[in-house]
Amino acid sequence: MAFSVVLPTLAPSIVFAILFVISSISLGWRTLEHRRYAYFLFFVFSFLRIAAFIARALWSQDYTSQSKAIATGVITSGGYFLAIQPLYTVFTEWIDRIIGLENVSNREKLVIRLIKILIPLCSLIGIVGSVKQFTASSQEQADLGTDLRKATALGFLGLLAILLFNTLIYAQRYSNSIENKGMKRVTKKSILVLVIGCLLLISGMIYRTLSVFEPTSDVNKKEWYIYVFAFAPEWILMIFVSVINLEDLLGKDNFNSDEEISNKRELAK
């Protein structure tokens, strides 16, 4: 989303493409090692960031190219949900293990289902907004594209805040169940991943929200803002989940058999 506001330059695009190549290799190795869908989604997200920075580098050499601008915006917006979806998976796996998803209240089930639906929907809205903004034949259409991008930014920001809030609420509400089931270690690790992951993505989404709501502000005048506040946190998250190892947090989220899942869950307690 931020790409469509600040015109790119070549050098930082190349640097960040290389950084995401490193994270993609690490996440690809984790995916093959642990056979987890969450790792696969992180890998695809990281790979799409490489594509986005390549598009950004190409765009920097031809600012008049509408197709390169659209490609950059579409890849950036379209792939963003892949960074949030694995965190949602960690959250639901954790809840399922401490109390069982079938035992949460109807209101809580509704919130969980809405988060699942809205994560990819926000990316889709962002894609439409980027295309509309770059292909607009009138000011009205350009404004519509901007409004859609605003909705995407607010949507993702809200979803991340809800996910973070619910993580802290569940940890407090079901502390006795966590203690009784011997899930303290898994809970601490799940909370660590969710809190750090959400905060990193929230920091980037705050920047994106400011960039679309205040197009003439300082955040859109200096390119380094994008890297420091939007893309650096994403890369840090990719490296973080590569290092911390999510295997014991993702019982059902894998390519293994039910027996293997059961055995690994017992070992993780």
Side-chain angles (χ1 to χ4, degrees):
M1 286 175 287
F3 281 139
S4 61
V5 178
V6 182
L7 291 176
T9 54
L10 182 61
S13 300
I14 293 175
V15 170
F16 267 77
I18 293 172
L19 288 176
F20 276 95
V21 166
I22 295 171
S23 62
S24 294
I25 292 172
S26 179
L27 290 165
W29 175 73
R30 282 294 194 188
T31 301
L32 294 174
E33 180 186 25
H34 299 305
R35 300 165 63 84
R36 294 298 192 269
Y37 289 116
Y39 271 128
F40 177 70
L41 293 179
F42 277 133
F43 166 75
V44 175
F45 170 80
S46 187
F47 186 81
L48 287 176
R49 278 295 181 260
I50 298 171
F53 283 112
I54 291 174
R56 182 177 173 83
L58 294 173
W59 186 20
S60 72
Q61 303 305 297
D62 182 11
Y63 290 141
T64 63
S65 174
Q66 186 183 68
S67 61
K68 292 171 184 174
I70 292 174
T72 302
V74 167
I75 295 171
T76 304
S77 298
Y80 191 79
F81 81 97
L82 295 169
I84 304 178
Q85 187 66 46
L87 296 179
Y88 169 83
T89 300
V90 171
F91 174 75
T92 54
E93 280 285 328
W94 170 53
I95 297 303
D96 191 36
R97 294 171 74 173
I98 60 175
I99 59 168
L101 286 171
E102 69 279 3
N103 296 320
V104 300
S105 68
N106 290 332
R107 182 186 63 81
E108 292 168 332
K109 287 179 182 177
L110 178 61
V111 171
I112 291 172
R113 288 169 183 166
L114 282 176
I115 293 174
K116 183 178 181 179
I117 294 170
L118 291 175
I119 289 172
L121 181 60
C122 284
S123 271
L124 180 60
I125 293 173
I127 291 173
V128 175
S130 294
V131 173
K132 278 284 186 183
Q133 192 168 50
F134 281 110
T135 60
S137 57
S138 66
Q139 186 60 46
E140 183 179 12
Q141 290 185 357
D143 290 341
L144 175 59
T146 300
D147 289 341
L148 290 174
R149 291 175 58 240
K150 288 179 180 178
T152 297
L154 289 177
F156 276 133
L157 189 59
L159 287 172
L160 288 165
I162 291 171
L163 190 58
L164 177 60
F165 177 76
N166 276 277
T167 296
L168 300 177
I169 290 296
Y170 276 103
Q172 176 64 32
R173 181 179 299 170
Y174 299 110
S175 57
N176 290 335
S177 178
I178 292 168
E179 184 74 31
N180 294 336
K181 290 188 176 183
M183 298 289 293
K184 290 180 69 174
R185 188 184 69 83
V186 170
T187 291
K188 287 180 179 179
K189 192 172 181 179
S190 296
I191 292 174
L192 177 68
V193 170
L194 288 166
V195 170
I196 291 178
C198 286
L199 288 177
L200 285 170
L201 293 180
I202 284 172
S203 68
M205 195 48 62
I206 288 174
Y207 165 80
R208 287 186 167 93
T209 303
L210 290 174
S211 72
V212 294
F213 274 88
E214 298 292 338
T216 60
S217 67
D218 288 342
V219 298
N220 290 320
K221 294 178 181 178
K222 297 180 180 179
E223 189 184 15
W224 66 267
Y225 279 24
I226 302 174
Y227 297 101
V228 172
F229 298 113
F231 298 113
E234 293 175 357
W235 184 76
I236 292 171
L237 175 59
M238 297 302 103
I239 296 300
F240 172 69
V241 296
S242 297
V243 171
I244 198 170
N245 190 356
L246 304 179
E247 182 182 17
D248 56 344
L249 307 183
L250 301 167
K252 293 180 180 178
D253 179 66
N254 60 48
F255 312 122
N256 298 320
S257 66
D258 291 340
E259 183 178 354
E260 289 175 307
I261 293 171
S262 178
N263 291 338
K264 288 185 176 182
R265 279 194 167 188
E266 289 300 319
L267 291 173
K269 289 184 178 181

Coordinates of all heavy atoms in Angstrom, one line a residue, residues 169-198:
I169 N -6.6 -11.6 26.9 CA -7.8 -11.9 27.6 C -7.9 -13.4 27.9 O -8.2 -13.9 29.0 CB -9.1 -11.5 26.8 CG1 -9.1 -9.9 26.8 CG2 -10.3 -12.1 27.4 CD1 -9.3 -9.3 28.2
Y170 N -7.6 -14.2 26.9 CA -7.7 -15.7 27.0 C -6.7 -16.2 28.0 O -6.9 -17.1 28.8 CB -7.6 -16.4 25.7 CG -8.8 -16.5 24.9 CD1 -9.0 -15.7 23.8 CD2 -9.8 -17.4 25.2 CE1 -10.2 -15.8 23.0 CE2 -11.0 -17.5 24.4 CZ -11.2 -16.7 23.4 OH -12.3 -16.8 22.6
A171 N -5.5 -15.6 28.0 CA -4.4 -16.0 28.9 C -4.9 -15.8 30.3 O -4.6 -16.6 31.2 CB -3.2 -15.3 28.6
Q172 N -5.5 -14.7 30.6 CA -6.0 -14.4 31.9 C -7.2 -15.2 32.3 O -7.3 -15.8 33.4 CB -6.4 -12.9 32.0 CG -6.9 -12.4 33.3 CD -6.0 -12.6 34.5 OE1 -4.8 -12.5 34.3 NE2 -6.5 -12.9 35.7
R173 N -8.2 -15.3 31.4 CA -9.5 -16.0 31.7 C -9.3 -17.5 31.9 O -10.0 -18.0 32.8 CB -10.4 -15.8 30.5 CG -11.8 -16.4 30.7 CD -12.7 -16.1 29.5 NE -12.9 -14.6 29.3 CZ -13.4 -14.1 28.3 NH1 -13.9 -14.9 27.3 NH2 -13.6 -12.8 28.2
Y174 N -8.4 -18.1 31.2 CA -8.3 -19.6 31.3 C -7.0 -20.0 32.0 O -6.4 -21.0 31.7 CB -8.4 -20.2 29.9 CG -9.7 -19.9 29.3 CD1 -9.8 -19.0 28.2 CD2 -10.9 -20.5 29.8 CE1 -11.0 -18.8 27.6 CE2 -12.1 -20.2 29.2 CZ -12.2 -19.4 28.1 OH -13.4 -19.1 27.5
S175 N -6.5 -19.2 32.9 CA -5.2 -19.5 33.5 C -5.3 -20.8 34.3 O -4.3 -21.5 34.4 CB -4.8 -18.3 34.5 OG -5.9 -18.0 35.4
N176 N -6.5 -21.0 35.0 CA -6.6 -22.3 35.7 C -6.6 -23.5 34.8 O -5.9 -24.5 35.2 CB -7.9 -22.3 36.5 CG -7.9 -21.3 37.6 OD1 -6.9 -20.9 38.2 ND2 -9.1 -20.8 38.0
S177 N -7.2 -23.4 33.7 CA -7.2 -24.5 32.7 C -5.8 -24.8 32.2 O -5.4 -25.9 32.0 CB -8.1 -24.3 31.6 OG -8.1 -25.3 30.6
I178 N -5.1 -23.7 32.0 CA -3.7 -23.8 31.5 C -2.8 -24.5 32.5 O -2.0 -25.4 32.2 CB -3.1 -22.4 31.2 CG1 -3.8 -21.8 30.0 CG2 -1.6 -22.5 31.0 CD1 -3.6 -20.3 29.8
E179 N -3.0 -24.2 33.8 CA -2.3 -24.8 34.9 C -2.6 -26.2 35.1 O -1.7 -27.1 35.2 CB -2.6 -24.0 36.2 CG -1.8 -24.5 37.4 CD -0.3 -24.0 37.4 OE1 -0.1 -22.9 36.8 OE2 0.5 -24.8 37.9
N180 N -3.9 -26.6 35.0 CA -4.4 -27.9 35.2 C -3.9 -28.9 34.1 O -3.7 -30.1 34.3 CB -5.9 -28.0 35.4 CG -6.4 -27.3 36.6 OD1 -5.6 -27.1 37.6 ND2 -7.6 -26.8 36.6
K181 N -3.9 -28.4 32.9 CA -3.5 -29.2 31.7 C -2.0 -29.2 31.5 O -1.5 -29.9 30.5 CB -4.2 -28.7 30.5 CG -5.7 -29.0 30.5 CD -6.3 -28.7 29.2 CE -7.8 -29.1 29.1 NZ -8.4 -28.8 27.8
G182 N -1.2 -28.6 32.3 CA 0.2 -28.6 32.1 C 0.6 -27.9 30.9 O 1.6 -28.3 30.2
M183 N -0.1 -26.8 30.5 CA 0.2 -26.1 29.2 C 0.9 -24.8 29.4 O 0.9 -23.9 28.5 CB -1.1 -25.8 28.5 CG -1.9 -27.1 28.2 SD -1.2 -28.0 26.8 CE -1.4 -26.8 25.5
K184 N 1.6 -24.6 30.5 CA 2.2 -23.3 30.8 C 3.3 -23.0 29.8 O 3.4 -21.9 29.3 CB 2.8 -23.3 32.2 CG 1.7 -23.3 33.3 CD 2.4 -23.3 34.7 CE 3.1 -22.0 35.0 NZ 3.5 -22.0 36.4
R185 N 4.2 -24.0 29.5 CA 5.3 -23.7 28.5 C 4.7 -23.4 27.2 O 5.2 -22.4 26.5 CB 6.2 -24.9 28.4 CG 7.5 -24.7 27.6 CD 8.3 -25.9 27.5 NE 7.7 -26.9 26.6 CZ 7.8 -26.8 25.3 NH1 8.4 -25.8 24.7 NH2 7.2 -27.7 24.5
V186 N 3.8 -24.2 26.7 CA 3.2 -23.9 25.3 C 2.5 -22.5 25.4 O 2.6 -21.8 24.4 CB 2.3 -25.0 24.9 CG1 1.5 -24.6 23.7 CG2 3.0 -26.3 24.7
T187 N 1.8 -22.3 26.5 CA 1.1 -21.0 26.6 C 2.0 -19.8 26.5 O 1.8 -18.8 25.8 CB 0.2 -20.9 27.8 OG1 -0.8 -21.9 27.7 CG2 -0.4 -19.6 28.1
K188 N 3.1 -19.9 27.3 CA 4.1 -18.8 27.3 C 4.7 -18.6 25.9 O 4.8 -17.4 25.5 CB 5.2 -19.1 28.3 CG 4.8 -19.0 29.8 CD 5.9 -19.3 30.7 CE 5.5 -19.2 32.1 NZ 6.6 -19.5 33.1
K189 N 5.0 -19.6 25.2 CA 5.5 -19.5 23.9 C 4.5 -19.0 22.9 O 4.8 -18.1 22.1 CB 6.1 -20.9 23.4 CG 6.9 -20.8 22.2 CD 7.6 -22.2 21.9 CE 8.5 -22.1 20.7 NZ 9.1 -23.4 20.4
S190 N 3.3 -19.5 23.0 CA 2.2 -19.0 22.1 C 2.0 -17.5 22.3 O 1.9 -16.7 21.3 CB 0.9 -19.7 22.4 OG 1.0 -21.1 22.1
I191 N 1.9 -17.1 23.6 CA 1.7 -15.6 23.9 C 2.9 -14.8 23.4 O 2.7 -13.7 22.8 CB 1.5 -15.4 25.4 CG1 0.2 -16.1 25.8 CG2 1.5 -14.0 25.7 CD1 -0.1 -16.1 27.3
L192 N 4.1 -15.3 23.5 CA 5.3 -14.6 23.1 C 5.2 -14.4 21.6 O 5.4 -13.3 21.1 CB 6.5 -15.4 23.4 CG 7.9 -14.8 22.9 CD1 8.2 -13.5 23.6 CD2 9.0 -15.8 23.1
V193 N 4.9 -15.4 20.8 CA 4.8 -15.3 19.4 C 3.7 -14.4 19.0 O 3.9 -13.5 18.1 CB 4.5 -16.7 18.7 CG1 4.2 -16.6 17.3 CG2 5.8 -17.6 18.9
L194 N 2.5 -14.5 19.6 CA 1.4 -13.7 19.2 C 1.6 -12.2 19.6 O 1.3 -11.3 18.8 CB 0.1 -14.2 19.9 CG -0.4 -15.5 19.3 CD1 -1.4 -16.1 20.3 CD2 -1.0 -15.3 18.0
V195 N 2.1 -11.9 20.7 CA 2.3 -10.5 21.2 C 3.4 -9.9 20.3 O 3.1 -8.8 19.8 CB 2.7 -10.5 22.6 CG1 3.1 -9.1 23.0 CG2 1.5 -10.9 23.5
I196 N 4.5 -10.5 20.1 CA 5.6 -9.9 19.3 C 5.1 -9.8 17.9 O 5.3 -8.8 17.2 CB 6.9 -10.8 19.4 CG1 7.4 -10.6 20.8 CG2 7.9 -10.3 18.4 CD1 8.7 -11.4 21.1
G197 N 4.5 -10.9 17.3 CA 4.0 -10.8 16.0 C 3.0 -9.7 15.7 O 3.1 -8.9 14.7
C198 N 2.0 -9.6 16.6 CA 1.0 -8.6 16.4 C 1.6 -7.2 16.6 O 1.3 -6.3 15.8 CB -0.1 -8.8 17.5 SG -1.2 -10.2 17.1

